Amino acid sequence: MPEGPSIVILREELAPFVGRRIARVEGSARIDQARLSGQRLRAIRSWGKHLLIELEDVSVRIHLLLFGSYRIDERKDSKPRLRLRFAEGELNFYACSVQLIEGPLEAAYDWSRDLMSTAWRPRATLKRLRERPRLLACDALLDQTLFAGSGNIIKNEVLYRIRVHPLSLIGELPPAKLRELVREARRYSFEFLDWKKAGVLKANWLAHGKSTCVRCRIPLVKAKALGRARRRAFFCERCQKRYGDATQLSPDEPSAVDEG
């Protein structure tokens, strides 16, 4: 599943289409396609893992899910979920979720929750985290109401870099460590963006997909389904400290993990 930085790259790639008018709409998405035809593309925006195509009286939300993809001015052999054709060029989206959003996007999205947004507010995120002390650290970094755009790569890398065990309880983290978690999630997201653009993202992974701790020189733990999110995790039992007893979790702790 593409994470926030990858959606920012897609947003930038689509920027040349802003101002163009849609000539034809095709695809298998169950939306009112006729409504989009003839509309001018006003803006390309993103929020977390959502690509937002803002038109004159409606917006299109694209979520690439686990296996979605896109093509600009070219096509795959498979049928697209959505194809937007212009007088010059076309956009094709495959194996993704397509939804229409009515009204202004400012009413639909809280931009302060988006890790990649200039409106990101770390103090507000800290407040939301403190209100959920029984949340696991690994689940917190996948919760889109807290860190919109964060995914499994960001989760594993951030926790490794700040030396926090993924099964730590948010409420048991020292205040300085909780602030470090929020700060590093934002910082690493922009490093992710830079490395992705340069084609060296994997070369800079310290934990995700790795087998050995670069600090302790011992095998990393690889969990296939950790936390309530049941997502892959890579961590070191020696240098990533575990805060609190996660065995005493409440079964109804809310979560907004973006599973696609």
Side-chain angles (χ1 to χ4, degrees):
M1 181 188 299
E3 302 186 26
S6 295
I7 302 303
V8 169
I9 291 174
L10 172 55
R11 182 188 75 200
E12 293 173 352
E13 290 177 341
L14 300 188
F17 286 84
V18 173
R20 300 185 191 180
R21 193 173 297 277
I22 299 172
R24 185 172 179 179
V25 182
E26 303 169 353
S28 62
R30 295 181 179 179
I31 60 173
D32 183 359
Q33 296 185 10
R35 183 178 178 188
L36 307 184
S37 184
Q39 290 209 41
R40 190 177 300 279
L41 201 162
R42 295 178 55 190
I44 299 289
R45 306 175 71 177
S46 64
W47 183 91
K49 301 175 184 180
H50 298 179
L51 177 75
L52 303 167
I53 302 173
E54 188 175 359
L55 304 176
E56 292 174 305
D57 70 356
V58 71
S59 295
V60 181
R61 191 204 82 167
I62 305 288
H63 192 311
L64 293 177
L65 307 177
L66 288 173
F67 304 108
S69 62
Y70 63 94
R71 296 290 187 274
I72 302 172
D73 295 337
E74 62 180 47
R75 302 181 181 185
K76 296 175 64 174
D77 292 335
S78 57
K79 186 176 182 178
R81 289 286 290 158
L82 182 67
R83 172 176 293 138
L84 301 178
R85 299 177 64 178
F86 303 83
E88 295 183 4
E90 65 180 37
L91 306 178
N92 293 291
F93 300 95
Y94 302 88
C96 62
S97 168
V98 181
Q99 295 182 358
L100 300 185
I101 299 178
E102 305 290 346
L105 290 175
E106 281 70 22
Y109 288 96
D110 181 350
W111 306 97
S112 71
R113 299 173 190 254
D114 179 7
L115 273 169
M116 308 298 295
S117 173
T118 56
W120 166 257
R121 295 292 180 266
R123 289 186 180 179
T125 303
L126 280 169
K127 181 176 183 295
R128 296 180 190 114
L129 283 167
R130 292 182 181 121
E131 291 170 351
R132 300 173 64 181
R134 306 304 293 174
L135 189 63
L136 293 173
C138 61
D139 287 334
L141 282 164
L142 293 176
D143 193 316
Q144 301 303 291
T145 68
L146 296 168
F147 300 96
S150 178
N152 219 36
I153 296 172
I154 293 174
K155 175 202 76 178
N156 287 322
E157 289 296 304
V158 166
L159 292 177
Y160 182 79
R161 288 159 191 262
I162 68 171
R163 299 176 181 245
V164 169
H165 193 288
L167 293 180
S168 296
L169 294 172
I170 287 297
E172 297 298 324
L173 292 180
K177 187 61 68 173
L178 189 62
R179 291 193 298 271
E180 186 181 10
L181 184 149
V182 173
R183 184 171 60 252
E184 183 66 16
R186 168 81 165 181
R187 188 183 70 83
Y188 181 76
S189 294
F190 280 92
E191 288 186 346
F192 183 129
L193 177 65
D194 292 338
W195 290 332
K196 181 80 171 179
K197 288 181 176 180
V200 295
L201 176 61
K202 290 185 179 181
N204 283 281
W205 286 348
L206 299 181
H208 188 77
K210 299 298 183 178
S211 58
T212 304
C213 176
V214 297
R215 292 188 290 253
C216 304
R217 302 299 179 183
I218 63 174
L220 290 173
V221 175
K222 178 182 177 180
K224 292 184 178 180
L226 196 70
R228 288 197 177 84
R230 310 297 293 170
R231 301 294 297 276
R232 283 198 313 161
F234 300 86
F235 58 94
C236 180
E237 287 280 14
R238 178 180 293 175
C239 64
Q240 287 180 254
K241 184 175 179 179
R242 187 164 175 168
Y243 296 88
D245 182 3
T247 63
Q248 303 299 317
L249 289 174
S250 168
D252 59 352
E253 171 66 34
S255 179
V257 174
D258 189 349
E259 299 288 356

Coordinates of all heavy atoms in Angstrom, one line a residue, residues 94-123:
Y94 N -5.7 1.9 -11.7 CA -6.1 0.4 -11.7 C -6.1 -0.1 -10.2 O -5.4 0.3 -9.4 CB -5.0 -0.3 -12.5 CG -4.8 0.1 -13.9 CD1 -4.0 1.1 -14.2 CD2 -5.6 -0.5 -14.9 CE1 -3.8 1.5 -15.5 CE2 -5.4 -0.1 -16.2 CZ -4.5 0.9 -16.5 OH -4.4 1.3 -17.8
A95 N -7.0 -1.1 -10.1 CA -7.1 -1.9 -8.8 C -7.2 -0.9 -7.6 O -6.5 -1.2 -6.6 CB -6.0 -2.8 -8.7
C96 N -8.0 0.1 -7.7 CA -8.0 1.1 -6.6 C -9.5 1.4 -6.2 O -10.4 0.9 -6.9 CB -7.3 2.4 -7.0 SG -8.1 3.2 -8.5
S97 N -9.6 2.1 -5.1 CA -10.9 2.6 -4.7 C -11.2 4.0 -5.3 O -10.3 4.9 -5.3 CB -11.0 2.7 -3.2 OG -12.1 3.4 -2.8
V98 N -12.4 4.2 -5.9 CA -12.7 5.5 -6.5 C -14.0 6.0 -5.8 O -15.0 5.3 -5.9 CB -12.9 5.4 -8.0 CG1 -13.2 6.8 -8.6 CG2 -11.6 4.8 -8.6
Q99 N -14.0 7.1 -5.3 CA -15.2 7.7 -4.7 C -15.3 9.2 -5.0 O -14.3 9.9 -5.2 CB -15.2 7.5 -3.1 CG -15.3 6.1 -2.7 CD -15.3 6.0 -1.2 OE1 -15.2 7.0 -0.4 NE2 -15.4 4.8 -0.7
L100 N -16.6 9.7 -5.0 CA -16.8 11.1 -5.2 C -17.0 11.8 -3.9 O -17.6 11.2 -3.0 CB -18.0 11.3 -6.1 CG -18.0 10.7 -7.5 CD1 -19.2 11.1 -8.3 CD2 -16.7 11.2 -8.3
I101 N -16.5 13.0 -3.7 CA -16.6 13.7 -2.5 C -17.4 15.0 -2.8 O -16.9 15.8 -3.7 CB -15.3 14.1 -1.9 CG1 -14.5 12.8 -1.5 CG2 -15.4 14.9 -0.6 CD1 -13.1 13.0 -0.9
E102 N -18.5 15.2 -2.2 CA -19.3 16.4 -2.4 C -18.8 17.5 -1.5 O -18.3 17.3 -0.4 CB -20.8 16.1 -2.1 CG -21.4 14.9 -2.9 CD -21.5 15.2 -4.3 OE1 -21.5 16.4 -4.7 OE2 -21.8 14.3 -5.1
G103 N -19.0 18.7 -1.9 CA -18.6 19.9 -1.1 C -17.1 20.1 -1.1 O -16.3 19.4 -1.6
P104 N -16.7 21.2 -0.4 CA -15.3 21.6 -0.3 C -14.5 20.5 0.5 O -15.0 20.0 1.4 CB -15.3 22.9 0.4 CG -16.6 22.9 1.2 CD -17.6 22.2 0.4
L105 N -13.3 20.3 0.0 CA -12.4 19.3 0.6 C -12.0 19.8 2.1 O -11.8 18.9 2.9 CB -11.2 19.1 -0.2 CG -11.4 18.4 -1.5 CD1 -10.1 18.3 -2.3 CD2 -11.9 17.0 -1.3
E106 N -12.0 21.1 2.3 CA -11.7 21.5 3.7 C -12.7 21.1 4.7 O -12.4 20.9 5.9 CB -11.6 23.1 3.7 CG -10.3 23.7 3.1 CD -10.2 23.5 1.6 OE1 -11.3 23.3 0.9 OE2 -9.1 23.5 1.1
A107 N -13.9 20.8 4.2 CA -15.0 20.3 5.1 C -14.8 18.8 5.3 O -15.3 18.3 6.3 CB -16.3 20.6 4.6
A108 N -14.2 18.1 4.4 CA -14.1 16.7 4.5 C -12.8 16.2 5.2 O -12.8 15.0 5.7 CB -14.2 16.1 3.0
Y109 N -11.8 17.0 5.2 CA -10.5 16.6 5.7 C -10.0 17.5 6.8 O -10.1 18.8 6.6 CB -9.5 16.5 4.6 CG -9.7 15.3 3.7 CD1 -10.5 15.4 2.5 CD2 -9.3 14.0 4.0 CE1 -10.7 14.3 1.6 CE2 -9.5 12.9 3.2 CZ -10.2 13.1 2.0 OH -10.4 12.0 1.2
D110 N -9.3 17.0 7.8 CA -8.6 17.7 8.8 C -7.1 17.7 8.4 O -6.4 16.7 8.6 CB -8.8 17.1 10.2 CG -8.1 17.9 11.2 OD1 -7.2 18.8 10.9 OD2 -8.3 17.6 12.4
W111 N -6.6 18.7 7.7 CA -5.3 18.7 7.2 C -4.2 18.7 8.2 O -3.1 18.3 8.0 CB -5.1 19.9 6.3 CG -6.2 20.0 5.2 CD1 -7.3 20.7 5.2 CD2 -6.2 19.2 4.0 NE1 -8.1 20.4 4.1 CE2 -7.4 19.5 3.3 CE3 -5.3 18.3 3.4 CZ2 -7.8 19.0 2.1 CZ3 -5.7 17.7 2.2 CH2 -6.9 18.1 1.5
S112 N -4.6 19.0 9.5 CA -3.6 19.0 10.6 C -3.1 17.6 10.9 O -2.2 17.4 11.7 CB -4.1 19.7 11.8 OG -5.1 19.0 12.4
R113 N -3.9 16.6 10.4 CA -3.5 15.2 10.7 C -2.6 14.6 9.7 O -2.2 13.4 9.9 CB -4.8 14.4 10.9 CG -5.7 14.9 12.0 CD -7.1 14.1 12.0 NE -8.0 14.7 12.9 CZ -8.4 14.2 14.1 NH1 -7.8 13.1 14.5 NH2 -9.2 14.9 14.9
D114 N -2.4 15.3 8.6 CA -1.7 14.8 7.5 C -0.2 15.0 7.7 O 0.3 16.2 7.8 CB -2.1 15.4 6.2 CG -1.3 15.0 4.9 OD1 -0.5 14.0 5.1 OD2 -1.5 15.6 3.9
L115 N 0.6 13.9 7.8 CA 2.0 14.1 8.1 C 2.8 14.9 7.1 O 3.8 15.6 7.4 CB 2.7 12.7 8.1 CG 2.7 11.9 9.4 CD1 3.1 10.5 9.2 CD2 3.6 12.6 10.5
M116 N 2.3 15.0 5.8 CA 3.0 15.7 4.8 C 2.5 17.1 4.6 O 3.1 17.8 3.7 CB 3.0 14.9 3.5 CG 3.4 13.4 3.6 SD 5.1 13.2 4.0 CE 6.0 13.9 2.7
S117 N 1.5 17.5 5.3 CA 0.9 18.8 5.1 C 1.6 19.9 5.8 O 2.1 19.7 6.9 CB -0.6 18.7 5.5 OG -1.2 20.0 5.4
T118 N 1.6 21.1 5.3 CA 2.1 22.3 6.0 C 1.2 22.6 7.2 O 1.6 23.4 8.0 CB 2.1 23.5 5.0 OG1 0.8 23.7 4.5 CG2 3.1 23.2 3.9
A119 N 0.0 22.0 7.2 CA -0.9 22.3 8.3 C -0.7 21.3 9.5 O -1.5 21.4 10.5 CB -2.4 22.2 7.8
W120 N 0.2 20.4 9.3 CA 0.5 19.4 10.4 C 0.7 20.1 11.7 O 1.4 21.0 11.8 CB 1.7 18.6 10.0 CG 2.3 17.7 11.1 CD1 3.4 18.0 11.8 CD2 1.8 16.5 11.6 NE1 3.7 17.0 12.7 CE2 2.7 16.1 12.6 CE3 0.7 15.7 11.3 CZ2 2.5 14.9 13.3 CZ3 0.5 14.5 12.0 CH2 1.4 14.1 13.0
R121 N 0.0 19.6 12.8 CA 0.1 20.1 14.1 C 0.6 19.1 15.1 O -0.2 18.3 15.6 CB -1.2 20.8 14.5 CG -1.7 21.9 13.7 CD -0.7 23.1 13.9 NE -1.2 24.3 13.1 CZ -0.7 24.5 11.9 NH1 0.3 23.8 11.3 NH2 -1.1 25.6 11.2
P122 N 1.9 19.1 15.4 CA 2.4 18.0 16.4 C 1.8 18.1 17.7 O 1.6 17.1 18.4 CB 3.9 18.3 16.4 CG 4.1 19.7 15.9 CD 3.0 19.9 14.9
R123 N 1.5 19.3 18.2 CA 0.9 19.4 19.6 C -0.5 18.8 19.6 O -0.9 18.1 20.6 CB 0.8 20.9 20.0 CG 2.1 21.5 20.3 CD 2.0 23.0 20.8 NE 3.3 23.6 21.2 CZ 3.4 24.8 21.6 NH1 2.3 25.6 21.8 NH2 4.6 25.3 21.9

